[in-house]
Amino acid sequence: METTVSEATDTTTTAVRSRKTQKKAQKGSEESATVNEQRSPSMETAVNERHHKLKSDEPVKRSPAEAISERNGAFEEVDDRFSISIRLQFNAATVGLFLLSFLTRFYRITHPRGVVFDEIHFGKFVSLYLKNTFYFDQHPPLGKLMIAGAAGAVGYSGSFEFPKIGSEYDASVPILALRFVPALCGSLLAPIVYSILRQVKLGQGVSILGGLLIILDNALLTHSRFILMESMLLFFAALGILTVLKFLQADPFSARWWILGTIASASLTAAVCVKFVGFYSYLLAMYIIGRHVWMELPDRRRSNASILLKVITKSLLIVGVSLAVYIGCFYLHFATLYKAGPHDNVMTSAFQASLEGGLASITKGQPLRVQHGSQITLKHTHGRVCWLHSHTHVYPIKYKDGRGSSHQQQVTCYGFKDVNNWWIVKRPNKDSLMVDDEPDYIEHGDVIQLVHGVTSRALNSHDVASPMSPLCQEVSCYIDYNISMPANLLWRVELLNGKESKNKWHAITSQVRLVHVNTTAALKYTGEQLPDWGYNQFEVAADRRQQTIDTIWNVEEHRYTQHKDKKDVLNKLLATEMIPTEPTKLSFWNKFSELQLKMLLHADKLESHMYSSEPHEWPLMDKGIAYWIDGDSNAQVHLLGNLVIWYSATMAIVLYVAFLVFYLIRRRREIYDLEPVEWDRFRLGGEIFLAGYLIHYLPYFFMERTLFLYNYLPALLFKVMLLCFVVDHCQLALRKFVKQSSLVIGIFRAIVVAWFAGVLYFFQRYSVLSYGTTALSADDVLELRLKDTWDLIVHKP
């Protein structure tokens, strides 16, 4: 396509120049070459302006020597040592694409006036932000923070509860503000895609086509209109890739170079901060940068020192900005969420106690240090929230697989606070369970017994296989059946963070591992759920592999065993070291590191969903997702992509690989169909777009979690750009290798026009499922169902 779009450029340039004494002329050809490699930003602007005057779709072909000569000649015209240029460029194509995209995304954006699909989750998170109430989510918080900022700016208090999908928003909910940020990010995606395609030297017509395909994809449209994360993820990822490409073309160490590098690192990290899958885009950008460094190595005009300096500086810039953005995002997250909330019990006891109105209010007035006679509850510190628990029921004599048990009293991990969660700490050489006249504190390395508070039986382990984890030992409360099974009741206390408490066992903060003295196995939460005979509670076993996070526990609730004759002693003990009545101070770094661990451990392991799908179903869009349906009609929001775009983009992958194999075989035969510049451009497009597609798609085949069609959207973004790249290369191939190319190219363009008409038709026909504003009859819904696997909903006949 050779359609030419006029460009309007409004340029504002501010130059700040500082004069310095000129240094003596440096000697040596190598030093001279190094100086000549530099190029001022102002000259780069001039060169770019000359490029913008060209109207041809075909990139200008210049040899590397000509480019270097032009750079060197330009450098000699500049006298100033330093200059900072700020260039604001408004391109007619990017502005037009943005406006068109904006109209499609914001059209009736307040409809439907009810909760749509995952708005039920993200809306709750936004409300909790506005109420400063802590919540836990497995993904980083940036997307939710941005939406909460927009909603808070218009005075929303977070009062709506988001009870279920389809619930009507009340008058207090600013629907436009809540959906504004995702819609704006979705609107900016099309001009960014256009700019990326121009950056890899595609013609303007094909680049505009790429932006239009982003606008006309129904799935991208749908996900941009609601309180969902994908549009923000795609925006930051695409902006990061664009600025990386510009960063690599800028003069090293110029002001433009530093600014673009900072924006690129910040954007890519922001994608990670919206969802962890943004790391795939970050990985792609690192590959592009690494490839650029590798391609520079053969240039002997650059010294080893200069190349090494550039690599080190790039690395420090990228790593420094990335860490600052990522850590800063969580700093704002913790600063905002300082009140106790519904998800507190996911975190450790120390974390909960640091929140206003949290665990500190429950443990107020409890003793700090654990000693002989302490009554405690032991919470599993990492992973699932549960407490060490026992009850009067025993293990069955035989399990379903025929293995026998000890028939001792069950010990489990129970997910709710219960009287059977209480244990008494006892010295093995003392008979009394009461606190002594003098404190007998437990320290790191001490050997203790744990006596169950309700049944008075001691925690035990022995060489009997655990019910659900046969490689581990059974843990029980010992019952004396007068048989040859002696009690093994001794446990050694190992404090993992003992330095913080000077090896004293503290409630709340001390993380402890209890090691069975007789067998050296550690008390462990296995994660396995017991059958009905265990009341579906979770298994506790003893594992000789001690160094796992599942063997870490901490004391949550704590009190001293009372005795009517020792009230004075008890009062004395309670007056010494106590858990603070105010929220416990926990440093940002402790909170940050704990939350990172919890986010990794609490990966989404939802059970199969009726609208879930598998990765192999995504390229041909075998299944969509029902987001919302009107109770009075069949008007609905259903996630489906533009079938014409998805299928043709899938074919483009096959066609690009076919081109690549064909060229490689021909080049192996020393037949070079493409000029060096053309071949480099062909490889570059594939290495960015095809690699980007595979990096964002293939990992899902190895994920053991519930997946949905929207997980494919980042891969789709790169697949659409590869489609445009293949269309552009087909024009080049026809022009180079076909006789009467003008006629053939005319036919090819007619096919492209007909294909684009199909894109428009499908977008218009299925936009009713993106907007949800049109009432549909049952026949209308069935007509929209092109595949039997598309589960469109029919409520009304």
Side-chain angles (χ1 to χ4, degrees):
M1 299 181 65
E2 294 184 350
T3 306
T4 303
V5 178
S6 63
E7 300 179 355
T9 303
D10 178 15
T11 304
T12 305
T13 304
T14 305
V16 180
R17 301 184 176 91
S18 61
R19 298 179 178 177
K20 292 187 176 181
T21 306
Q22 295 184 352
K23 296 182 178 180
K24 295 182 178 180
Q26 298 178 345
K27 298 181 180 181
S29 59
E30 180 178 339
E31 295 175 349
S32 176
T34 303
V35 171
N36 286 338
E37 286 171 14
Q38 301 177 0
R39 188 178 59 173
S40 71
S42 58
M43 186 56 221
E44 182 180 5
T45 299
V47 173
N48 287 340
E49 288 176 346
R50 286 198 292 272
H51 286 323
H52 280 297
K53 292 178 182 179
L54 298 175
K55 300 298 181 181
S56 174
D57 277 359
E58 289 297 316
V60 179
K61 301 177 182 177
R62 292 183 302 165
S63 67
E66 290 173 340
I68 295 171
S69 175
E70 182 181 19
R71 292 182 183 181
N72 293 343
F75 176 75
E76 294 173 358
E77 298 173 6
V78 179
D79 296 330
D80 296 294
R81 184 70 175 177
F82 300 103
S83 66
I84 298 175
S85 299
I86 301 175
R87 179 180 175 84
L88 301 177
Q89 187 179 67
F90 300 96
N91 181 279
T94 55
V95 172
L97 288 171
F98 170 73
L99 292 177
L100 182 59
S101 186
F102 186 90
L103 291 174
T104 59
R105 270 61 182 167
F106 280 87
Y107 171 72
R108 299 192 64 178
I109 195 172
T110 59
H111 180 86
R113 298 191 61 84
V115 180
V116 176
F117 193 54
D118 275 350
E119 284 190 338
I120 190 174
H121 301 300
F122 300 123
K124 285 180 180 178
F125 296 150
V126 169
S127 294
L128 291 172
Y129 268 123
L130 297 173
K131 292 186 288 189
N132 306 113
T133 302
F134 180 80
Y135 74 87
F136 174 81
D137 184 31
Q138 64 176 355
H139 288 293
L142 180 59
K144 283 86 73 177
L145 272 169
M146 293 172 62
I147 297 175
V154 298
Y156 177 53
S157 63
S159 57
F160 191 73
E161 296 295 331
F162 293 85
K164 63 180 181 179
I165 297 174
S167 299
E168 290 291 324
Y169 290 122
D170 58 39
S172 68
V173 180
I175 303 176
L176 175 60
L178 286 169
R179 294 174 178 172
F180 176 82
V181 174
L184 179 62
C185 291
S187 302
L188 292 168
L189 187 60
I192 292 176
V193 166
Y194 164 84
S195 300
I196 292 175
L197 295 175
R198 291 294 285 162
Q199 201 66 31
V200 296
K201 311 303 181 186
L202 263 63
Q204 191 174 59
V206 176
S207 300
I208 293 174
L209 174 65
L212 290 174
L213 293 181
I214 297 299
I215 295 172
L216 298 175
D217 182 73
N218 301 72
L220 294 175
L221 169 65
T222 303
H223 243 268
S224 298
R225 290 174 45 81
F226 304 110
I227 312 172
L228 305 172
M229 298 293 108
E230 266 63 32
S231 63
M232 290 178 280
L233 169 67
L234 295 177
F235 165 73
F236 285 121
L239 180 62
I241 297 300
L242 173 62
T243 47
V244 161
L245 295 175
K246 290 179 174 288
F247 169 64
L248 295 178
Q249 295 180 6
D251 292 326
F253 309 111
S254 65
R256 175 181 171 84
W257 188 84
W258 287 105
I259 293 171
L260 288 173
T262 301
I263 295 174
S265 302
S267 299
L268 292 166
T269 310
V272 179
C273 290
V274 172
K275 274 194 170 184
F276 275 131
V277 293
F279 176 73
Y280 298 141
S281 302
Y282 197 100
L283 190 63
L284 174 63
M286 295 307 102
Y287 167 74
I288 295 172
I289 294 173
R291 178 190 184 278
H292 184 266
V293 172
W294 182 258
M295 299 299 291
E296 281 187 334
L297 291 181
D299 190 351
R300 302 291 296 175
R301 293 174 292 109
R302 293 180 170 87
S303 66
N304 294 339
S306 66
I307 292 177
L308 183 61
L309 176 62
K310 223 164 97 173
V311 170
I312 292 175
T313 305
K314 281 181 181 178
S315 302
L316 293 176
L317 174 63
I318 293 169
V319 172
V321 173
S322 297
L323 288 176
V325 172
Y326 190 79
I327 294 172
C329 179
F330 280 93
Y331 184 87
L332 183 58
H333 177 72
F334 291 132
T336 305
L337 305 180
Y338 55 83
K339 296 180 180 178
H343 301 155
D344 293 358
N345 59 4
V346 174
M347 311 306 292
T348 63
S349 301
F351 193 106
Q352 294 179 64
S354 70
L355 299 173
E356 183 181 300
L359 190 62
S361 62
I362 299 174
T363 59
K364 180 179 179 179
Q366 294 185 2
L368 176 65
R369 291 183 60 178
V370 178
Q371 67 157 313
H372 170 80
S374 287
Q375 295 182 22
I376 63 174
T377 61
L378 279 169
K379 181 184 177 184
H380 179 233
T381 303
H382 300 296
R384 177 174 288 275
V385 177
C386 60
W387 290 264
L388 188 67
H389 178 93
S390 186
H391 40 235
T392 56
H393 304 280
V394 297
Y395 291 111
I397 296 176
K398 284 189 177 293
Y399 302 122
K400 285 186 177 181
D401 59 5
R403 291 186 297 112
S405 77
S406 66
H407 202 48
Q408 298 276 314
Q409 181 173 305
Q410 296 176 14
V411 173
T412 65
C413 204
Y414 189 47
F416 301 92
K417 291 185 180 294
D418 187 87
V419 68
N420 282 314
N421 297 347
W422 285 92
W423 301 80
I424 302 174
V425 178
K426 178 182 177 298
R427 290 285 193 184
N429 59 346
K430 294 183 178 181
D431 295 329
S432 172
L433 296 178
M434 310 303 171
V435 294
D436 295 332
D437 295 338
E438 294 297 329
D440 185 7
Y441 296 126
I442 308 299
E443 299 184 0
H444 175 75
D446 286 355
V447 175
I448 64 167
Q449 293 176 343
L450 285 176
V451 179
H452 189 237
V454 174
T455 64
S456 298
R457 290 179 175 135
L459 190 69
N460 175 76
S461 186
H462 41 219
D463 192 15
V464 176
S466 189
M468 308 303 293
S469 306
L471 296 179
C472 298
Q473 295 175 185
E474 179 190 84
V475 172
S476 64
C477 279
Y478 182 74
I479 304 174
D480 186 3
Y481 288 124
N482 293 320
I483 58 176
S484 57
M485 184 174 287
N488 295 313
L489 311 178
L490 303 180
W491 300 84
R492 186 174 63 255
V493 174
E494 292 186 357
L495 300 178
L496 305 184
N497 56 345
K499 290 183 179 180
E500 299 174 7
S501 61
K502 298 181 180 179
N503 285 333
K504 313 295 183 183
W505 190 3
H506 286 179
I508 302 293
T509 57
S510 291
Q511 296 185 6
V512 61
R513 180 177 286 127
L514 297 173
V515 179
H516 193 239
V517 172
N518 298 77
T519 62
T520 69
L523 188 71
K524 176 183 179 180
Y525 158 81
T526 67
E528 300 292 336
Q529 194 166 12
L530 297 172
D532 291 341
W533 55 257
Y535 299 93
N536 301 116
Q537 297 173 17
F538 289 90
E539 180 188 45
V540 171
D543 194 346
R544 286 186 171 87
R545 296 168 297 179
Q546 302 176 8
Q547 307 300 320
T548 70
I549 59 174
D550 287 324
T551 61
I552 301 175
W553 305 80
N554 67 271
V555 173
E556 183 168 272
E557 295 181 73
H558 181 211
R559 60 191 180 213
Y560 289 138
T561 305
Q562 299 185 21
H563 192 282
K564 62 182 180 179
D565 297 331
K566 296 188 177 181
K567 289 184 178 179
D568 293 339
V569 176
L570 182 61
N571 291 333
K572 180 181 178 181
L573 290 169
L574 294 177
T576 54
E577 293 183 272
M578 307 302 300
I579 295 176
T581 57
E582 298 297 325
T584 302
K585 297 296 182 182
L586 196 65
S587 71
F588 163 76
W589 295 110
N590 287 336
K591 287 185 175 182
F592 177 78
S593 58
E594 179 179 330
L595 185 57
Q596 301 308 303
L597 179 61
K598 294 291 185 181
M599 290 163 70
L600 293 175
L601 292 175
H602 284 74
D604 187 5
K605 296 181 181 178
L606 298 174
E607 296 181 0
S608 181
H609 190 281
M610 66 177 298
Y611 288 105
S612 63
S613 54
E614 297 298 325
H616 68 270
E617 299 176 294
W618 297 341
L620 300 181
M621 201 168 59
D622 289 337
K623 198 169 186 179
I625 310 173
Y627 276 13
W628 173 86
I629 186 166
D630 188 353
D632 298 326
S633 71
N634 292 319
Q636 58 191 282
V637 176
H638 199 98
L639 184 69
L640 286 173
N642 191 311
L643 200 68
V644 179
I645 296 176
W646 285 48
Y647 275 56
S648 55
T650 301
M651 292 175 59
I653 294 174
V654 177
L655 190 56
Y656 179 85
V657 173
F659 269 125
L660 180 61
V661 172
F662 173 77
Y663 289 141
L664 288 175
I665 293 174
R666 299 267 291 175
R667 293 174 75 85
R668 188 64 176 171
R669 297 286 296 167
E670 297 187 357
I671 302 173
Y672 302 100
D673 299 299
L674 299 178
E675 299 294 332
V677 175
E678 295 170 341
W679 172 245
D680 289 342
R681 186 164 72 102
F682 179 80
R683 286 178 54 203
L684 176 64
E687 291 180 5
I688 294 176
F689 302 140
L690 181 59
Y693 173 75
L694 296 177
I695 288 173
H696 287 81
Y697 178 48
L698 294 182
Y700 287 103
F701 285 94
F702 306 97
M703 291 185 181
E704 296 181 359
R705 49 167 291 190
T706 305
L707 299 172
F708 296 91
L709 183 63
Y710 61 74
N711 294 122
Y712 188 63
L713 295 182
L716 174 69
L717 177 67
F718 289 92
K719 188 165 77 167
V720 169
M721 289 190 282
L722 182 63
L723 169 62
C724 298
F725 190 86
V726 169
V727 170
D728 185 80
H729 187 74
C730 285
Q731 288 190 100
L732 174 65
L734 293 174
R735 188 176 291 112
K736 287 179 67 72
F737 307 125
V738 177
K739 295 180 180 180
Q740 297 181 342
S741 59
S742 59
L743 175 62
V744 176
I745 289 176
I747 296 173
F748 175 77
R749 289 176 177 170
I751 294 173
V752 172
V753 170
W755 164 79
F756 187 72
V759 171
L760 289 171
Y761 170 78
F762 193 97
F763 173 79
Q764 183 274 331
R765 178 171 173 77
Y766 283 83
S767 62
V768 296
L769 299 180
S770 297
Y771 293 110
T773 57
T774 304
L776 302 171
S777 66
D779 292 337
D780 293 335
V781 175
L782 292 176
E783 287 181 6
L784 291 172
R785 188 181 178 190
L786 296 183
K787 289 188 172 188
D788 292 338
T789 53
W790 288 5
D791 296 326
L792 302 180
I793 300 175
V794 177
H795 269 187
K796 300 289 183 180

